Amino acid sequence: MKHTLSVIVENHPGVLTRVATLFRRRSYNIDSLTVGRTENPTVSRMTIVVEGDDVLIEQVVKQLHKLVEVIKITDITDDPSVDRELVLVKVRADTQVRAEIMQIVEIFRARIVDIGRNTLIIEATGDENKINAIEDSLRPFGIMELVRTGKVAMVRGGK
Amino acid sequence: MARDGTVEPCPPEQEVRHLKMKAANVLLRCLQEEGVDVIFGYPGGVVLPIYDALHSSDIRHVLVRHEQGAAHAADAYARASGKVGVCLATSGPGATNLVTGIANAYMDSVPLVAFTGQVNTALIGKDAFQEVDITGITLPITKHNYLLRRAEDLVRVVKEAFYIARTNRPGPVLVDLPRNVMETEIEFTGYPSEVHLRGYRVVRSCNMGQVVAAAEAINRAERPVIYAGGGVINSNASELLRALAMKAKIPVTTTLMGIGSFPETHYLSLGMLGMHGTRYANYAVSECDLLIAVGARFDDRVTGKISAFAPHAKVIHIDIDAAEIGKNFAVDIPIVGDVRQVLEELVPRVEEKEHFGEWHRTIDRWKEEFPLAYGEPREPDRIKPQYVIEQIYYVTQGKAIITTEVGQNQMWAAQFYKFSQPRHFITSGGLGTMGFGLPAAIGAKIACPELPVINIAGDGSIQMNIQELGTAMQEKLPVVVCILNNHYLGMVRQWQELFFGRRYSYTDISLQPDFVKLAEAYGAVGMRVKEAHLVEAALREALEVKDRPVFIDFWVEREANVFPMVAPGESLYNMLGGDDLL
Ligand SMILES: Cc1cc2nc3c(=O)[nH]c(=O)nc-3n(C[C@H](O)[C@H](O)[C@H](O)COP(=O)(O)OP(=O)(O)OC[C@H]3O[C@@H](n4cnc5c(N)ncnc54)[C@H](O)[C@@H]3O)c2cc1C
Ligand SMILES: Cc1ncc(C[n+]2csc(CCOP(=O)(O)OP(=O)(O)O)c2C)c(N)n1
Ligand SMILES: [Mg+2]
């Protein structure tokens, strides 16, 4: 099962390497990892999606805790939370299919951010399911390039 | 000026103003504040400012002959003294030479602070001469590490490094010091008394509900066994362990790292368990109904086939590192905490048992039936290696500090020397680093000059850091190196004999230096012994030497094996050997 960990770390150079090295060294599989600044300039927040059973996730959390620069870890998998991911897709788009693609873009409330002679770049945000769905819908047209940011998440309410 | 505007007579202004000095000198001031009295190191270009400061410092510097030796000596110094060990190396090759030693300390949870020189900050990342990314290299083998980019951070970083190295589960911390940072003039305004690390909390309590549950389990158990590890020694909790065992009459087995945490001469001692443990320890663990793991980490050399480990037991696990709990083995009553703290709470809650029951009688039967034993040598002019160890034990009355190399020599030392005190057996357990023993003996002798220090060595391993003989000579350290010379990489040969049809592929090392002459070439004492009846006299003579190291080259039976043995992947119940005299 996929778990989403929200990890508050010191905003120091090298922290990302420490976390990545830990995952590599212990053979934990990172599904995605994002890191960015927060409302507090001295810390960063990582959102790590990792695949594994409960025993493995417990180990991941405990091992992460041992890193001196890791301040707080929350497994928000089961918490009501908002999560978002952004994707950019460059899709083959001859004049015959453009209209159809634009319809899909409309349905998913995505945006076209670049128009080439035979291509379109589409930007979409949403939760993982939506991003997967948009990817699937565009695939038949020929995806030339695709990049996903990985997930960021925040627990709802006053927590 | 005081707040009300009056002029205060003292202290005079010069004393208040802090003099600026080079960061290298501030570094040494900080080390003194930490109580560091010895540094094991080796100089080079970028650490020249530090060496210049050392020239006029009270801190003792021991000049090793290879940086790996510095790391091992500092490691053993820490194990023998209970303090933090310190080593120092230059950038590039100096730093990389420390790596094996740092990994060794990491695997065995030893508090060590390693300082390395680094090129000027402006050159970092430019592939400068002798630049190496040592913080990157040591990321997975340090508890934490630092690259000091600003001299202003020096004092805080040193404080944190020592704090992190020694608290909770100890481990090595590396601090990389660029040359220009060490030359920067800074004010020393005092050494901080506290650290502020919001991501690092020292474990100061334990869950009392779990302690109560553990006490109940102990009080109900019929066939309990204590499985004690290196954590007991780190926690200085041997006496409490003994109190627990004696109060509830619980037999105690230790890991290799736990040796000395419980007196092996005690009637409740089962000796070591695991791959080369005693039959009775392994049987006891296999049959017990309650296993009390105290500061031990369920290593695969201990458990054998994990699904068959302690199959009938409820398991209590006391460990300061929460990540160790459930890592290799699912337990019933986990207690995260310092061994000492937990035992202080646990012992009073355990009921006093008056009598020995069926369980003790069973164990006594195993002890009688399967004692650690060995037969007569099968070759002329060769001694039984186990006999040499027994003689070392006899001559030192069990009071020496024993360091070991790695291989058969190490296992025989663990089996046949009876340790009764913690911090007297210093061995490379987790990494199994050949070449550890001699530099370790140097570190231990410096930590405990009043105790005899003996390195039980193999002919292969000793050649891996033999240059440290020079260090021992320079420091006039009377460490005794007992080479159990089988002219083989014996432990590997044993596996080839048992599991690869006696195909001795590249394990014959009979081409070797004359160790007696080699010792003498350094100015040390060299002896050779090939007959059992000369062993004791040689040892006594060696222990009389007070100003230089001694090598004794004991020629031991070439194909002697370490038994009993649990073959890799087997359960502890299925042991090879140790049931007859081999
Ligand atoms: C050739 C060879 C053969 C070997 N054969 C054997 C063998 O037969 N039997 C054997 O036992 N070993 C053997 N070993 C050693 C083995 O590889 C491990 O190093 C050893 O078993 C680990 O010991 P330990 O479990 O006590 O853990 P250590 O490595 O000593 O770890 C200590 C544990 O205690 C915890 N701890 C530390 N401080 C505290 C504290 N203050 N409070 C609470 N907990 C604390 C730590 O978190 C850790 O979990 C062999 C090694 C070699 C090289
Ligand atoms: C640095 C290193 N290289 C290789 C090994 C693998 N190894 C383990 S024991 C051993 C043989 C050791 O030979 P020796 O020192 O003569 O000891 P003996 O087993 O003969 O007592 C070897 C090669 C190791 N543990 N460490
Ligand atoms: Mg040998």
Side-chain angles (χ1 to χ4, degrees), chain A residues 10 17-18 21 25 42-43 59 62-63 66-71, chain B residues 139-140 144-145 164 169 197-200 321-323 325 327:
Chain A
E10 295 285 355
T17 319
R18 286 184 202 278
T21 301
R25 136 117 168 80
T42 71
V43 305
Q59 264 297 307
K62 284 170 163 178
Q63 294 293 351
K66 295 210 300 189
L67 297 180
V68 171
E69 286 157 324
V70 168
I71 301 168
Chain B
L139 212 53
H144 194 53
N145 64 23
I164 291 168
R169 179 179 186 167
L197 290 165
R198 51 188 166 173
Y200 184 82
D321 180 357
I325 288 174
K327 185 181 81 179

PDB file of all heavy atoms in Angstrom, chain A residues 10 17-18 21 25 42-43 59 62-63 66-71, chain B residues 139-140 144-145 164 169 197-200 321-323 325 327:
ATOM      1  N   GLU A  10      14.994  20.316   8.846  1.00  0.00           N
ATOM      2  CA  GLU A  10      15.758  21.560   8.898  1.00  0.00           C
ATOM      3  C   GLU A  10      16.016  22.033   7.471  1.00  0.00           C
ATOM      4  O   GLU A  10      16.342  21.232   6.601  1.00  0.00           O
ATOM      5  CB  GLU A  10      17.113  21.335   9.588  1.00  0.00           C
ATOM      6  CG  GLU A  10      17.038  20.957  11.060  1.00  0.00           C
ATOM      7  CD  GLU A  10      16.689  22.122  11.972  1.00  0.00           C
ATOM      8  OE1 GLU A  10      16.583  23.278  11.482  1.00  0.00           O
ATOM      9  OE2 GLU A  10      16.487  21.874  13.178  1.00  0.00           O
ATOM     10  N   THR A  17      19.747  15.000   0.400  1.00  0.00           N
ATOM     11  CA  THR A  17      20.675  13.886   0.154  1.00  0.00           C
ATOM     12  C   THR A  17      20.615  12.876   1.284  1.00  0.00           C
ATOM     13  O   THR A  17      20.670  11.670   1.062  1.00  0.00           O
ATOM     14  CB  THR A  17      22.123  14.413   0.060  1.00  0.00           C
ATOM     15  OG1 THR A  17      22.111  15.616  -0.668  1.00  0.00           O
ATOM     16  CG2 THR A  17      23.026  13.406  -0.587  1.00  0.00           C
ATOM     17  N   ARG A  18      20.543  13.362   2.510  1.00  0.00           N
ATOM     18  CA  ARG A  18      20.498  12.430   3.642  1.00  0.00           C
ATOM     19  C   ARG A  18      19.269  11.528   3.546  1.00  0.00           C
ATOM     20  O   ARG A  18      19.344  10.323   3.775  1.00  0.00           O
ATOM     21  CB  ARG A  18      20.467  13.195   4.962  1.00  0.00           C
ATOM     22  CG  ARG A  18      21.805  13.812   5.321  1.00  0.00           C
ATOM     23  CD  ARG A  18      21.750  14.492   6.687  1.00  0.00           C
ATOM     24  NE  ARG A  18      22.801  15.474   6.790  1.00  0.00           N
ATOM     25  CZ  ARG A  18      24.066  15.193   7.117  1.00  0.00           C
ATOM     26  NH1 ARG A  18      24.415  13.965   7.411  1.00  0.00           N
ATOM     27  NH2 ARG A  18      24.975  16.145   7.159  1.00  0.00           N
ATOM     28  N   THR A  21      19.654   9.179   0.535  1.00  0.00           N
ATOM     29  CA  THR A  21      20.653   8.135   0.821  1.00  0.00           C
ATOM     30  C   THR A  21      20.065   7.066   1.737  1.00  0.00           C
ATOM     31  O   THR A  21      20.294   5.878   1.555  1.00  0.00           O
ATOM     32  CB  THR A  21      21.897   8.758   1.483  1.00  0.00           C
ATOM     33  OG1 THR A  21      22.436   9.734   0.608  1.00  0.00           O
ATOM     34  CG2 THR A  21      22.957   7.711   1.755  1.00  0.00           C
ATOM     35  N   ARG A  25      19.914   3.237   0.662  1.00  0.00           N
ATOM     36  CA  ARG A  25      20.718   2.305   1.423  1.00  0.00           C
ATOM     37  C   ARG A  25      19.880   1.189   2.038  1.00  0.00           C
ATOM     38  O   ARG A  25      20.321   0.072   2.189  1.00  0.00           O
ATOM     39  CB  ARG A  25      21.457   3.112   2.476  1.00  0.00           C
ATOM     40  CG  ARG A  25      21.497   2.546   3.841  1.00  0.00           C
ATOM     41  CD  ARG A  25      22.923   2.248   4.239  1.00  0.00           C
ATOM     42  NE  ARG A  25      22.972   1.956   5.654  1.00  0.00           N
ATOM     43  CZ  ARG A  25      22.651   0.787   6.179  1.00  0.00           C
ATOM     44  NH1 ARG A  25      22.231  -0.194   5.410  1.00  0.00           N
ATOM     45  NH2 ARG A  25      22.732   0.595   7.468  1.00  0.00           N
ATOM     46  N   THR A  42      12.966  28.444   8.397  1.00  0.00           N
ATOM     47  CA  THR A  42      14.046  27.578   8.905  1.00  0.00           C
ATOM     48  C   THR A  42      13.776  26.101   8.650  1.00  0.00           C
ATOM     49  O   THR A  42      14.630  25.269   8.908  1.00  0.00           O
ATOM     50  CB  THR A  42      14.281  27.780  10.417  1.00  0.00           C
ATOM     51  OG1 THR A  42      13.183  27.236  11.144  1.00  0.00           O
ATOM     52  CG2 THR A  42      14.461  29.249  10.756  1.00  0.00           C
ATOM     53  N   VAL A  43      12.563  25.792   8.174  1.00  0.00           N
ATOM     54  CA  VAL A  43      12.293  24.379   7.908  1.00  0.00           C
ATOM     55  C   VAL A  43      11.760  24.186   6.486  1.00  0.00           C
ATOM     56  O   VAL A  43      11.268  25.126   5.869  1.00  0.00           O
ATOM     57  CB  VAL A  43      11.275  23.762   8.908  1.00  0.00           C
ATOM     58  CG1 VAL A  43      11.728  23.966  10.333  1.00  0.00           C
ATOM     59  CG2 VAL A  43       9.880  24.316   8.692  1.00  0.00           C
ATOM     60  N   GLN A  59       9.362   0.958   9.857  1.00  0.00           N
ATOM     61  CA  GLN A  59      10.824   1.062   9.765  1.00  0.00           C
ATOM     62  C   GLN A  59      11.250   2.360   9.079  1.00  0.00           C
ATOM     63  O   GLN A  59      12.145   3.053   9.548  1.00  0.00           O
ATOM     64  CB  GLN A  59      11.395  -0.132   8.977  1.00  0.00           C
ATOM     65  CG  GLN A  59      11.874  -1.266   9.863  1.00  0.00           C
ATOM     66  CD  GLN A  59      13.032  -0.871  10.779  1.00  0.00           C
ATOM     67  OE1 GLN A  59      14.043  -0.361  10.357  1.00  0.00           O
ATOM     68  NE2 GLN A  59      12.844  -1.095  12.068  1.00  0.00           N
ATOM     69  N   LYS A  62      10.807   5.172  11.520  1.00  0.00           N
ATOM     70  CA  LYS A  62      11.788   5.128  12.612  1.00  0.00           C
ATOM     71  C   LYS A  62      13.183   5.495  12.123  1.00  0.00           C
ATOM     72  O   LYS A  62      13.930   6.189  12.803  1.00  0.00           O
ATOM     73  CB  LYS A  62      11.820   3.729  13.227  1.00  0.00           C
ATOM     74  CG  LYS A  62      10.632   3.430  14.139  1.00  0.00           C
ATOM     75  CD  LYS A  62      10.649   1.947  14.478  1.00  0.00           C
ATOM     76  CE  LYS A  62       9.783   1.601  15.669  1.00  0.00           C
ATOM     77  NZ  LYS A  62       9.819   0.135  15.893  1.00  0.00           N
ATOM     78  N   GLN A  63      13.545   4.995  10.956  1.00  0.00           N
ATOM     79  CA  GLN A  63      14.877   5.306  10.432  1.00  0.00           C
ATOM     80  C   GLN A  63      14.962   6.790  10.072  1.00  0.00           C
ATOM     81  O   GLN A  63      15.991   7.430  10.326  1.00  0.00           O
ATOM     82  CB  GLN A  63      15.204   4.439   9.207  1.00  0.00           C
ATOM     83  CG  GLN A  63      15.338   2.943   9.501  1.00  0.00           C
ATOM     84  CD  GLN A  63      16.550   2.590  10.364  1.00  0.00           C
ATOM     85  OE1 GLN A  63      17.411   3.416  10.638  1.00  0.00           O
ATOM     86  NE2 GLN A  63      16.606   1.345  10.818  1.00  0.00           N
ATOM     87  N   LYS A  66      15.744   8.972  12.934  1.00  0.00           N
ATOM     88  CA  LYS A  66      17.121   8.980  13.440  1.00  0.00           C
ATOM     89  C   LYS A  66      17.983  10.043  12.771  1.00  0.00           C
ATOM     90  O   LYS A  66      19.045  10.376  13.274  1.00  0.00           O
ATOM     91  CB  LYS A  66      17.760   7.591  13.239  1.00  0.00           C
ATOM     92  CG  LYS A  66      17.074   6.530  14.071  1.00  0.00           C
ATOM     93  CD  LYS A  66      17.981   5.399  14.504  1.00  0.00           C
ATOM     94  CE  LYS A  66      18.622   4.619  13.456  1.00  0.00           C
ATOM     95  NZ  LYS A  66      19.321   3.418  13.972  1.00  0.00           N
ATOM     96  N   LEU A  67      17.533  10.556  11.631  1.00  0.00           N
ATOM     97  CA  LEU A  67      18.302  11.630  11.004  1.00  0.00           C
ATOM     98  C   LEU A  67      18.176  12.873  11.880  1.00  0.00           C
ATOM     99  O   LEU A  67      17.068  13.298  12.228  1.00  0.00           O
ATOM    100  CB  LEU A  67      17.789  11.912   9.588  1.00  0.00           C
ATOM    101  CG  LEU A  67      17.931  10.759   8.588  1.00  0.00           C
ATOM    102  CD1 LEU A  67      17.377  11.167   7.224  1.00  0.00           C
ATOM    103  CD2 LEU A  67      19.383  10.322   8.455  1.00  0.00           C
ATOM    104  N   VAL A  68      19.325  13.425  12.227  1.00  0.00           N
ATOM    105  CA  VAL A  68      19.349  14.535  13.177  1.00  0.00           C
ATOM    106  C   VAL A  68      18.543  15.734  12.661  1.00  0.00           C
ATOM    107  O   VAL A  68      17.933  16.474  13.424  1.00  0.00           O
ATOM    108  CB  VAL A  68      20.814  14.927  13.463  1.00  0.00           C
ATOM    109  CG1 VAL A  68      20.910  16.208  14.278  1.00  0.00           C
ATOM    110  CG2 VAL A  68      21.530  13.784  14.172  1.00  0.00           C
ATOM    111  N   GLU A  69      18.496  15.894  11.340  1.00  0.00           N
ATOM    112  CA  GLU A  69      17.833  17.078  10.796  1.00  0.00           C
ATOM    113  C   GLU A  69      16.351  16.865  10.491  1.00  0.00           C
ATOM    114  O   GLU A  69      15.688  17.763   9.991  1.00  0.00           O
ATOM    115  CB  GLU A  69      18.575  17.545   9.540  1.00  0.00           C
ATOM    116  CG  GLU A  69      19.887  18.226   9.930  1.00  0.00           C
ATOM    117  CD  GLU A  69      20.921  18.215   8.823  1.00  0.00           C
ATOM    118  OE1 GLU A  69      20.969  17.210   8.082  1.00  0.00           O
ATOM    119  OE2 GLU A  69      21.666  19.193   8.708  1.00  0.00           O
ATOM    120  N   VAL A  70      15.848  15.686  10.803  1.00  0.00           N
ATOM    121  CA  VAL A  70      14.411  15.450  10.624  1.00  0.00           C
ATOM    122  C   VAL A  70      13.698  15.833  11.923  1.00  0.00           C
ATOM    123  O   VAL A  70      14.016  15.317  12.991  1.00  0.00           O
ATOM    124  CB  VAL A  70      14.129  13.975  10.265  1.00  0.00           C
ATOM    125  CG1 VAL A  70      12.650  13.667  10.373  1.00  0.00           C
ATOM    126  CG2 VAL A  70      14.635  13.684   8.858  1.00  0.00           C
ATOM    127  N   ILE A  71      12.765  16.760  11.824  1.00  0.00           N
ATOM    128  CA  ILE A  71      12.137  17.295  13.031  1.00  0.00           C
ATOM    129  C   ILE A  71      10.823  16.584  13.346  1.00  0.00           C
ATOM    130  O   ILE A  71      10.534  16.273  14.491  1.00  0.00           O
ATOM    131  CB  ILE A  71      11.911  18.820  12.874  1.00  0.00           C
ATOM    132  CG1 ILE A  71      13.256  19.511  12.621  1.00  0.00           C
ATOM    133  CG2 ILE A  71      11.232  19.404  14.110  1.00  0.00           C
ATOM    134  CD1 ILE A  71      13.130  20.948  12.164  1.00  0.00           C
TER     135      ILE A  71
ATOM    136  N   LEU B 139      28.198   9.525   4.557  1.00  0.00           N
ATOM    137  CA  LEU B 139      26.781   9.717   4.911  1.00  0.00           C
ATOM    138  C   LEU B 139      26.144   8.450   5.496  1.00  0.00           C
ATOM    139  O   LEU B 139      25.542   8.501   6.565  1.00  0.00           O
ATOM    140  CB  LEU B 139      26.027  10.177   3.659  1.00  0.00           C
ATOM    141  CG  LEU B 139      24.853  11.112   3.839  1.00  0.00           C
ATOM    142  CD1 LEU B 139      25.233  12.325   4.657  1.00  0.00           C
ATOM    143  CD2 LEU B 139      24.361  11.559   2.472  1.00  0.00           C
ATOM    144  N   PRO B 140      26.292   7.292   4.821  1.00  0.00           N
ATOM    145  CA  PRO B 140      25.616   6.111   5.388  1.00  0.00           C
ATOM    146  C   PRO B 140      26.377   5.407   6.497  1.00  0.00           C
ATOM    147  O   PRO B 140      25.912   4.410   7.014  1.00  0.00           O
ATOM    148  CB  PRO B 140      25.469   5.180   4.170  1.00  0.00           C
ATOM    149  CG  PRO B 140      26.499   5.622   3.195  1.00  0.00           C
ATOM    150  CD  PRO B 140      26.878   7.030   3.503  1.00  0.00           C
ATOM    151  N   HIS B 144      25.960  11.224  12.127  1.00  0.00           N
ATOM    152  CA  HIS B 144      25.718  12.538  11.541  1.00  0.00           C
ATOM    153  C   HIS B 144      27.065  13.061  11.075  1.00  0.00           C
ATOM    154  O   HIS B 144      28.099  12.607  11.560  1.00  0.00           O
ATOM    155  CB  HIS B 144      25.119  13.480  12.597  1.00  0.00           C
ATOM    156  CG  HIS B 144      24.525  14.730  12.015  1.00  0.00           C
ATOM    157  ND1 HIS B 144      23.595  14.711  11.006  1.00  0.00           N
ATOM    158  CD2 HIS B 144      24.743  16.036  12.283  1.00  0.00           C
ATOM    159  CE1 HIS B 144      23.259  15.959  10.694  1.00  0.00           C
ATOM    160  NE2 HIS B 144      23.946  16.776  11.455  1.00  0.00           N
ATOM    161  N   ASN B 145      27.050  14.010  10.143  1.00  0.00           N
ATOM    162  CA  ASN B 145      28.324  14.639   9.807  1.00  0.00           C
ATOM    163  C   ASN B 145      28.135  16.102   9.420  1.00  0.00           C
ATOM    164  O   ASN B 145      27.019  16.551   9.184  1.00  0.00           O
ATOM    165  CB  ASN B 145      29.100  13.825   8.758  1.00  0.00           C
ATOM    166  CG  ASN B 145      28.392  13.740   7.418  1.00  0.00           C
ATOM    167  OD1 ASN B 145      27.563  14.576   7.076  1.00  0.00           O
ATOM    168  ND2 ASN B 145      28.721  12.711   6.658  1.00  0.00           N
ATOM    169  N   ILE B 164      26.081  14.228  19.977  1.00  0.00           N
ATOM    170  CA  ILE B 164      25.411  13.221  19.148  1.00  0.00           C
ATOM    171  C   ILE B 164      26.168  11.894  19.211  1.00  0.00           C
ATOM    172  O   ILE B 164      25.573  10.823  19.302  1.00  0.00           O
ATOM    173  CB  ILE B 164      25.287  13.722  17.690  1.00  0.00           C
ATOM    174  CG1 ILE B 164      24.300  14.882  17.627  1.00  0.00           C
ATOM    175  CG2 ILE B 164      24.837  12.600  16.751  1.00  0.00           C
ATOM    176  CD1 ILE B 164      24.311  15.638  16.309  1.00  0.00           C
ATOM    177  N   ARG B 169      21.840   5.883  21.078  1.00  0.00           N
ATOM    178  CA  ARG B 169      22.714   4.832  20.549  1.00  0.00           C
ATOM    179  C   ARG B 169      23.961   5.522  20.010  1.00  0.00           C
ATOM    180  O   ARG B 169      23.876   6.296  19.069  1.00  0.00           O
ATOM    181  CB  ARG B 169      22.007   4.096  19.422  1.00  0.00           C
ATOM    182  CG  ARG B 169      22.863   3.022  18.821  1.00  0.00           C
ATOM    183  CD  ARG B 169      22.115   2.309  17.713  1.00  0.00           C
ATOM    184  NE  ARG B 169      22.870   1.191  17.214  1.00  0.00           N
ATOM    185  CZ  ARG B 169      22.360   0.259  16.433  1.00  0.00           C
ATOM    186  NH1 ARG B 169      21.107   0.331  16.086  1.00  0.00           N
ATOM    187  NH2 ARG B 169      23.108  -0.735  16.019  1.00  0.00           N
ATOM    188  N   LEU B 197      19.034  21.036  19.414  1.00  0.00           N
ATOM    189  CA  LEU B 197      18.788  20.239  18.208  1.00  0.00           C
ATOM    190  C   LEU B 197      17.349  19.784  18.265  1.00  0.00           C
ATOM    191  O   LEU B 197      17.011  18.843  18.975  1.00  0.00           O
ATOM    192  CB  LEU B 197      19.722  19.023  18.185  1.00  0.00           C
ATOM    193  CG  LEU B 197      21.204  19.272  17.948  1.00  0.00           C
ATOM    194  CD1 LEU B 197      22.026  18.047  18.316  1.00  0.00           C
ATOM    195  CD2 LEU B 197      21.454  19.655  16.501  1.00  0.00           C
ATOM    196  N   ARG B 198      16.502  20.461  17.504  1.00  0.00           N
ATOM    197  CA  ARG B 198      15.076  20.131  17.646  1.00  0.00           C
ATOM    198  C   ARG B 198      14.736  18.796  17.018  1.00  0.00           C
ATOM    199  O   ARG B 198      13.694  18.226  17.293  1.00  0.00           O
ATOM    200  CB  ARG B 198      14.206  21.251  17.091  1.00  0.00           C
ATOM    201  CG  ARG B 198      14.580  21.684  15.699  1.00  0.00           C
ATOM    202  CD  ARG B 198      13.810  22.926  15.310  1.00  0.00           C
ATOM    203  NE  ARG B 198      14.438  23.490  14.101  1.00  0.00           N
ATOM    204  CZ  ARG B 198      13.928  24.494  13.425  1.00  0.00           C
ATOM    205  NH1 ARG B 198      12.812  25.053  13.821  1.00  0.00           N
ATOM    206  NH2 ARG B 198      14.545  24.940  12.348  1.00  0.00           N
ATOM    207  N   GLY B 199      15.633  18.292  16.157  1.00  0.00           N
ATOM    208  CA  GLY B 199      15.349  16.993  15.538  1.00  0.00           C
ATOM    209  C   GLY B 199      16.000  15.834  16.267  1.00  0.00           C
ATOM    210  O   GLY B 199      15.984  14.709  15.772  1.00  0.00           O
ATOM    211  N   TYR B 200      16.605  16.080  17.423  1.00  0.00           N
ATOM    212  CA  TYR B 200      17.346  15.018  18.111  1.00  0.00           C
ATOM    213  C   TYR B 200      17.023  15.067  19.601  1.00  0.00           C
ATOM    214  O   TYR B 200      17.386  16.010  20.292  1.00  0.00           O
ATOM    215  CB  TYR B 200      18.843  15.236  17.891  1.00  0.00           C
ATOM    216  CG  TYR B 200      19.727  14.140  18.478  1.00  0.00           C
ATOM    217  CD1 TYR B 200      19.930  12.952  17.790  1.00  0.00           C
ATOM    218  CD2 TYR B 200      20.348  14.303  19.717  1.00  0.00           C
ATOM    219  CE1 TYR B 200      20.733  11.960  18.317  1.00  0.00           C
ATOM    220  CE2 TYR B 200      21.153  13.315  20.251  1.00  0.00           C
ATOM    221  CZ  TYR B 200      21.343  12.146  19.542  1.00  0.00           C
ATOM    222  OH  TYR B 200      22.136  11.164  20.062  1.00  0.00           O
ATOM    223  N   ASP B 321      17.257   2.321  20.740  1.00  0.00           N
ATOM    224  CA  ASP B 321      16.989   2.726  19.367  1.00  0.00           C
ATOM    225  C   ASP B 321      15.667   2.101  18.929  1.00  0.00           C
ATOM    226  O   ASP B 321      15.593   0.897  18.668  1.00  0.00           O
ATOM    227  CB  ASP B 321      18.149   2.257  18.473  1.00  0.00           C
ATOM    228  CG  ASP B 321      17.941   2.644  17.012  1.00  0.00           C
ATOM    229  OD1 ASP B 321      16.881   3.218  16.684  1.00  0.00           O
ATOM    230  OD2 ASP B 321      18.848   2.367  16.209  1.00  0.00           O
ATOM    231  N   ALA B 322      14.633   2.916  18.844  1.00  0.00           N
ATOM    232  CA  ALA B 322      13.306   2.402  18.497  1.00  0.00           C
ATOM    233  C   ALA B 322      13.329   1.646  17.172  1.00  0.00           C
ATOM    234  O   ALA B 322      12.573   0.694  16.980  1.00  0.00           O
ATOM    235  CB  ALA B 322      12.303   3.552  18.430  1.00  0.00           C
ATOM    236  N   ALA B 323      14.224   2.052  16.279  1.00  0.00           N
ATOM    237  CA  ALA B 323      14.262   1.407  14.964  1.00  0.00           C
ATOM    238  C   ALA B 323      14.761  -0.030  15.043  1.00  0.00           C
ATOM    239  O   ALA B 323      14.559  -0.807  14.117  1.00  0.00           O
ATOM    240  CB  ALA B 323      15.145   2.210  14.004  1.00  0.00           C
ATOM    241  N   ILE B 325      13.683  -2.115  17.207  1.00  0.00           N
ATOM    242  CA  ILE B 325      12.583  -2.952  17.667  1.00  0.00           C
ATOM    243  C   ILE B 325      11.694  -3.312  16.487  1.00  0.00           C
ATOM    244  O   ILE B 325      11.180  -2.448  15.796  1.00  0.00           O
ATOM    245  CB  ILE B 325      11.832  -2.245  18.822  1.00  0.00           C
ATOM    246  CG1 ILE B 325      12.744  -2.288  20.039  1.00  0.00           C
ATOM    247  CG2 ILE B 325      10.487  -2.905  19.074  1.00  0.00           C
ATOM    248  CD1 ILE B 325      12.279  -1.555  21.236  1.00  0.00           C
ATOM    249  N   LYS B 327      12.820  -4.605  13.808  1.00  0.00           N
ATOM    250  CA  LYS B 327      13.551  -4.512  12.539  1.00  0.00           C
ATOM    251  C   LYS B 327      13.813  -5.899  11.945  1.00  0.00           C
ATOM    252  O   LYS B 327      13.527  -6.143  10.785  1.00  0.00           O
ATOM    253  CB  LYS B 327      14.879  -3.777  12.738  1.00  0.00           C
ATOM    254  CG  LYS B 327      15.635  -3.549  11.422  1.00  0.00           C
ATOM    255  CD  LYS B 327      16.959  -2.850  11.628  1.00  0.00           C
ATOM    256  CE  LYS B 327      18.025  -3.843  12.076  1.00  0.00           C
ATOM    257  NZ  LYS B 327      19.342  -3.218  12.266  1.00  0.00           N
TER     258      LYS B 327
END
